[in-house]
Amino acid sequence: KVTVFTSEGVLYAVKGKKTVELAEDVASYTLSLYGDYVLYTVMEDMSATLYHCKVSNGKSTEVFESDLESMLTSYAMSPDGKSVAYIATDLPDADLYYFNGKKSEKVSSCLGSVIGLSDGGKYIYATDINDEGKVSLHSFNKKGKDTKIDSCDAFSNFALNLDATEIMFMSNDKTYVSVKGKEPIKVASSDLELLTPAGVFDSHEISEVSYFYPVETLFNHVYVSGNAAYFVSKKESKNIKLVKGSDFTLDSSAQYLYYMDKEDLMVLQISKGEKAEDKAKLIAEEAYFYI
């Protein structure tokens, strides 16, 4: 719907053939998944202020202003862009807040980072750190209900599905998926990268540590880990190893997986939700495959 960019600290929105100035002295910005809203920070003297802006009319609302006592440490926007979750620290304390487009309300004490949130603040994902340095991943709702998903020494590689009801993450070198804040399901003993069909965007940044994937569910898709492709199914919480190779690429229908087996170009037909029954077929020997 829209593109935003900054030039010499000025934030602009491009809608069709029209360019509109949204704000000045902008240090950073994040566009919502569908381009309706943009979050941006304005630097002035030693303070940073976070603003929420509706792109269609350019109207901005102040979300939070940092000062010497309280500082904004992390934030994220919902898929529809209408709401924001953020953490403000007043050391040694830190609090998680939910902004509904008009005002902010405290959700919980939380000394960590915001990972992402669903529309309406039903699921607000954030990490918390206890006095011993142990990190835990939580799903809050905007009223403060807290569901602990997992805990470990350090989490990484967060990804959410389109409506943010599912979250994928790495914990202790294993990949898990939690659905609606429930107990996580182990899907791999390594890091996974979802392979999207040709012509589909790969991901959309939510925050500095997390992404939206363009899928309704994080299950029943082809993932890549190292030199192997897998089909990750929720059934029995297991993934199915498809083939080894490199340069993995799905066609636009997500039914055919193309890849290089050393110097040979191969194709494998994938049966959705089931293990691929057809063996990979050779397309060309000693090929050069450009993605």
Side-chain angles (χ1 to χ4, degrees), residues 52 54 67 81 85 95 111 117 133 176 179 206 228 258 262 267 281:
H52 180 251
K54 188 172 184 178
D67 54 35
D95 295 317
L111 187 62
L117 70 158
Y176 296 86
V179 179
I206 306 170
Y258 295 88
K262 297 181 180 178
V267 62
K281 297 180 180 179

mmCIF file of all heavy atoms in Angstrom, residues 52 54 67 81 85 95 111 117 133 176 179 206 228 258 262 267 281:
data_model
loop_
_atom_site.group_PDB
_atom_site.id
_atom_site.type_symbol
_atom_site.label_atom_id
_atom_site.label_comp_id
_atom_site.label_asym_id
_atom_site.label_seq_id
_atom_site.Cartn_x
_atom_site.Cartn_y
_atom_site.Cartn_z
ATOM 1 N N HIS A 52 3.406 7.136 17.040
ATOM 2 C CA HIS A 52 2.580 6.209 16.263
ATOM 3 C C HIS A 52 1.811 7.039 15.245
ATOM 4 O O HIS A 52 1.101 7.976 15.605
ATOM 5 C CB HIS A 52 1.618 5.479 17.202
ATOM 6 C CG HIS A 52 0.712 4.496 16.543
ATOM 7 N ND1 HIS A 52 -0.643 4.722 16.394
ATOM 8 C CD2 HIS A 52 0.957 3.280 15.987
ATOM 9 C CE1 HIS A 52 -1.190 3.677 15.808
ATOM 10 N NE2 HIS A 52 -0.244 2.784 15.538
ATOM 11 N N LYS A 54 -0.657 7.299 11.677
ATOM 12 C CA LYS A 54 -1.525 6.722 10.662
ATOM 13 C C LYS A 54 -1.130 7.327 9.312
ATOM 14 O O LYS A 54 -1.206 8.536 9.111
ATOM 15 C CB LYS A 54 -2.993 7.021 10.964
ATOM 16 C CG LYS A 54 -3.965 6.284 10.058
ATOM 17 C CD LYS A 54 -5.403 6.474 10.531
ATOM 18 C CE LYS A 54 -6.360 5.652 9.680
ATOM 19 N NZ LYS A 54 -7.766 5.787 10.147
ATOM 20 N N ASP A 67 13.460 9.999 29.060
ATOM 21 C CA ASP A 67 14.155 11.073 29.756
ATOM 22 C C ASP A 67 15.311 10.468 30.539
ATOM 23 O O ASP A 67 15.659 9.295 30.351
ATOM 24 C CB ASP A 67 13.199 11.856 30.667
ATOM 25 C CG ASP A 67 12.449 10.960 31.641
ATOM 26 O OD1 ASP A 67 13.056 9.968 32.108
ATOM 27 O OD2 ASP A 67 11.280 11.255 31.948
ATOM 28 N N GLY A 81 -1.097 -2.827 12.817
ATOM 29 C CA GLY A 81 -0.458 -1.548 13.093
ATOM 30 C C GLY A 81 -1.180 -0.670 14.089
ATOM 31 O O GLY A 81 -0.693 0.410 14.434
ATOM 32 N N ALA A 85 3.387 -2.538 21.690
ATOM 33 C CA ALA A 85 3.877 -2.962 23.000
ATOM 34 C C ALA A 85 5.301 -2.454 23.138
ATOM 35 O O ALA A 85 6.073 -2.487 22.180
ATOM 36 C CB ALA A 85 3.831 -4.475 23.131
ATOM 37 N N ASP A 95 9.209 -1.986 32.902
ATOM 38 C CA ASP A 95 7.786 -2.323 32.768
ATOM 39 C C ASP A 95 7.396 -2.467 31.308
ATOM 40 O O ASP A 95 7.904 -1.752 30.435
ATOM 41 C CB ASP A 95 6.921 -1.231 33.411
ATOM 42 C CG ASP A 95 7.130 -1.143 34.913
ATOM 43 O OD1 ASP A 95 7.202 -2.207 35.556
ATOM 44 O OD2 ASP A 95 7.242 -0.017 35.435
ATOM 45 N N LEU A 111 11.766 -7.164 32.651
ATOM 46 C CA LEU A 111 13.120 -6.691 32.387
ATOM 47 C C LEU A 111 13.705 -7.509 31.229
ATOM 48 O O LEU A 111 14.501 -8.411 31.407
ATOM 49 C CB LEU A 111 13.993 -6.834 33.636
ATOM 50 C CG LEU A 111 15.394 -6.235 33.562
ATOM 51 C CD1 LEU A 111 15.327 -4.725 33.348
ATOM 52 C CD2 LEU A 111 16.176 -6.552 34.821
ATOM 53 N N LEU A 117 3.509 -8.780 18.983
ATOM 54 C CA LEU A 117 2.174 -8.855 19.564
ATOM 55 C C LEU A 117 1.140 -9.048 18.466
ATOM 56 O O LEU A 117 1.358 -8.691 17.307
ATOM 57 C CB LEU A 117 1.843 -7.612 20.372
ATOM 58 C CG LEU A 117 1.608 -6.296 19.625
ATOM 59 C CD1 LEU A 117 0.776 -5.351 20.494
ATOM 60 C CD2 LEU A 117 2.907 -5.621 19.254
ATOM 61 N N GLY A 133 19.839 -14.112 36.189
ATOM 62 C CA GLY A 133 20.219 -13.987 34.790
ATOM 63 C C GLY A 133 19.531 -14.975 33.863
ATOM 64 O O GLY A 133 19.841 -15.034 32.672
ATOM 65 N N TYR A 176 11.594 -24.376 18.529
ATOM 66 C CA TYR A 176 10.277 -24.676 19.083
ATOM 67 C C TYR A 176 9.224 -23.758 18.468
ATOM 68 O O TYR A 176 9.538 -22.662 17.998
ATOM 69 C CB TYR A 176 10.272 -24.479 20.598
ATOM 70 C CG TYR A 176 11.185 -25.414 21.364
ATOM 71 C CD1 TYR A 176 12.529 -25.103 21.553
ATOM 72 C CD2 TYR A 176 10.690 -26.592 21.912
ATOM 73 C CE1 TYR A 176 13.365 -25.947 22.272
ATOM 74 C CE2 TYR A 176 11.523 -27.448 22.637
ATOM 75 C CZ TYR A 176 12.852 -27.120 22.804
ATOM 76 O OH TYR A 176 13.677 -27.961 23.507
ATOM 77 N N VAL A 179 1.875 -22.250 20.202
ATOM 78 C CA VAL A 179 0.612 -21.800 19.616
ATOM 79 C C VAL A 179 -0.258 -21.205 20.714
ATOM 80 O O VAL A 179 -0.556 -21.866 21.706
ATOM 81 C CB VAL A 179 -0.128 -22.962 18.929
ATOM 82 C CG1 VAL A 179 -1.456 -22.484 18.343
ATOM 83 C CG2 VAL A 179 0.737 -23.579 17.842
ATOM 84 N N ILE A 206 9.449 -7.142 12.654
ATOM 85 C CA ILE A 206 8.581 -6.632 13.721
ATOM 86 C C ILE A 206 9.388 -5.737 14.647
ATOM 87 O O ILE A 206 8.988 -4.638 14.993
ATOM 88 C CB ILE A 206 7.992 -7.782 14.566
ATOM 89 C CG1 ILE A 206 7.288 -8.811 13.689
ATOM 90 C CG2 ILE A 206 7.034 -7.233 15.613
ATOM 91 C CD1 ILE A 206 6.906 -10.058 14.438
ATOM 92 N N ALA A 228 20.133 -29.192 4.369
ATOM 93 C CA ALA A 228 18.992 -30.096 4.243
ATOM 94 C C ALA A 228 17.674 -29.325 4.270
ATOM 95 O O ALA A 228 17.575 -28.269 4.893
ATOM 96 C CB ALA A 228 18.997 -31.140 5.358
ATOM 97 N N TYR A 258 13.026 -27.006 -5.804
ATOM 98 C CA TYR A 258 14.201 -27.055 -6.662
ATOM 99 C C TYR A 258 15.443 -26.862 -5.803
ATOM 100 O O TYR A 258 15.442 -26.063 -4.863
ATOM 101 C CB TYR A 258 14.136 -25.954 -7.726
ATOM 102 C CG TYR A 258 12.994 -26.119 -8.695
ATOM 103 C CD1 TYR A 258 11.743 -25.581 -8.415
ATOM 104 C CD2 TYR A 258 13.168 -26.818 -9.883
ATOM 105 C CE1 TYR A 258 10.685 -25.738 -9.301
ATOM 106 C CE2 TYR A 258 12.117 -26.972 -10.777
ATOM 107 C CZ TYR A 258 10.878 -26.435 -10.480
ATOM 108 O OH TYR A 258 9.834 -26.592 -11.355
ATOM 109 N N LYS A 262 25.075 -31.048 -5.321
ATOM 110 C CA LYS A 262 26.428 -30.787 -5.822
ATOM 111 C C LYS A 262 26.326 -29.949 -7.091
ATOM 112 O O LYS A 262 25.981 -28.788 -7.026
ATOM 113 C CB LYS A 262 27.177 -32.099 -6.035
ATOM 114 C CG LYS A 262 27.381 -32.886 -4.735
ATOM 115 C CD LYS A 262 28.144 -34.170 -4.961
ATOM 116 C CE LYS A 262 28.324 -34.929 -3.653
ATOM 117 N NZ LYS A 262 29.038 -36.227 -3.848
ATOM 118 N N VAL A 267 14.659 -31.542 -8.819
ATOM 119 C CA VAL A 267 13.336 -31.087 -8.425
ATOM 120 C C VAL A 267 12.644 -32.212 -7.661
ATOM 121 O O VAL A 267 12.785 -33.389 -7.984
ATOM 122 C CB VAL A 267 12.481 -30.666 -9.644
ATOM 123 C CG1 VAL A 267 12.239 -31.834 -10.589
ATOM 124 C CG2 VAL A 267 11.163 -30.050 -9.181
ATOM 125 N N LYS A 281 13.936 -35.734 -8.974
ATOM 126 C CA LYS A 281 14.267 -36.007 -10.377
ATOM 127 C C LYS A 281 15.338 -35.039 -10.861
ATOM 128 O O LYS A 281 15.357 -33.865 -10.493
ATOM 129 C CB LYS A 281 13.012 -35.877 -11.230
ATOM 130 C CG LYS A 281 11.936 -36.903 -10.871
ATOM 131 C CD LYS A 281 10.697 -36.734 -11.751
ATOM 132 C CE LYS A 281 9.629 -37.764 -11.381
ATOM 133 N NZ LYS A 281 8.409 -37.607 -12.212
#
